[in-house]
Amino acid sequence: MKTCAVVGCHPKRFKFKYKETHTGCKRLKDQFIKLYAQGVRIFVIGSFLGVDIWSGEILLTLRKEPGYSDIHLVIVVPFNGHDKGWDEHNRTRLSFLKEHAEVVFAGHESDPASYYKQSQYLLRRADRLVAIFDMYYTVRSRVGQ
């Protein structure tokens, strides 16, 4: 089976922020359907707000539709409790996804290496990659500066 990793930036980096009704978010489902037609059955996502949560919810909804029941969702968590600072609504959303997917823990403690391990797990197991970003966002990242 082919595997697709889904990655994306934090919602604050999108012009539309957390607006999940934005057309950019809605296009994710179309991408997943195209990938499914190409033989992708395993989708691997992270466990963060924004693209990860959106993708997981879309994939679980798609899996309920006729013809898509063989979609497998894998969620990679950097370490247990990484979501402790989240509001209750978003912790519940992640918890629901974890209940309906295979969950992989990349690390065992709260250290920066766990986040690196999470990214490595996602990318090393993928035949395809969906990377979500806002090409019109004007703020540059400070990584590497």
Side-chain angles (χ1 to χ4, degrees):
M1 277 191 273
K2 293 181 184 174
T3 302
C4 176
V6 182
V7 297
C9 55
H10 193 278
K12 290 180 183 176
R13 296 198 48 100
F14 294 118
K15 284 183 181 180
F16 58 88
K17 308 292 184 214
Y18 288 88
K19 293 180 185 168
E20 297 175 40
T21 56
H22 188 273
T23 56
C25 291
K26 292 180 178 181
R27 286 191 306 217
L28 276 171
K29 182 177 179 181
D30 296 335
Q31 280 302 145
F32 296 148
I33 289 171
K34 288 177 186 176
L35 288 163
Y36 187 91
Q38 296 172 13
V40 174
R41 297 297 182 269
I42 302 170
F43 292 86
V44 184
I45 63 171
S47 55
F48 294 104
L49 294 173
V51 172
D52 296 344
I53 299 290
W54 302 335
S55 297
E57 290 172 344
I58 291 167
L59 287 162
L60 288 181
T61 300
L62 186 60
R63 186 166 71 183
K64 291 179 185 177
E65 293 182 17
Y68 297 101
S69 63
D70 57 343
I71 286 177
H72 299 276
L73 178 62
V74 178
I75 300 174
V76 185
V77 180
F79 55 89
N80 199 17
H82 83 283
D83 59 343
K84 71 179 181 180
W86 294 12
D87 63 42
E88 186 63 30
H89 173 72
N90 285 312
R91 277 198 316 271
T92 300
R93 290 171 78 184
L94 179 60
S95 179
F96 180 83
L97 290 176
K98 289 162 82 174
E99 288 174 21
H100 295 88
E102 178 185 343
V103 178
V104 175
F105 287 94
H108 300 288
E109 53 191 57
S110 169
D111 81 305
S114 295
Y115 295 102
Y116 175 78
K117 289 176 187 176
Q118 179 194 34
S119 298
Q120 291 301 305
Y121 186 95
L122 285 166
L123 298 174
R124 287 191 177 150
R125 284 162 178 77
D127 301 302
R128 305 278 195 284
L129 176 67
V130 173
I132 312 300
F133 67 99
D134 186 345
M135 62 190 271
Y136 301 108
Y137 191 75
T138 58
V139 176
R140 291 185 178 192
S141 172
R142 294 179 185 249
V143 176
Q145 293 182 2

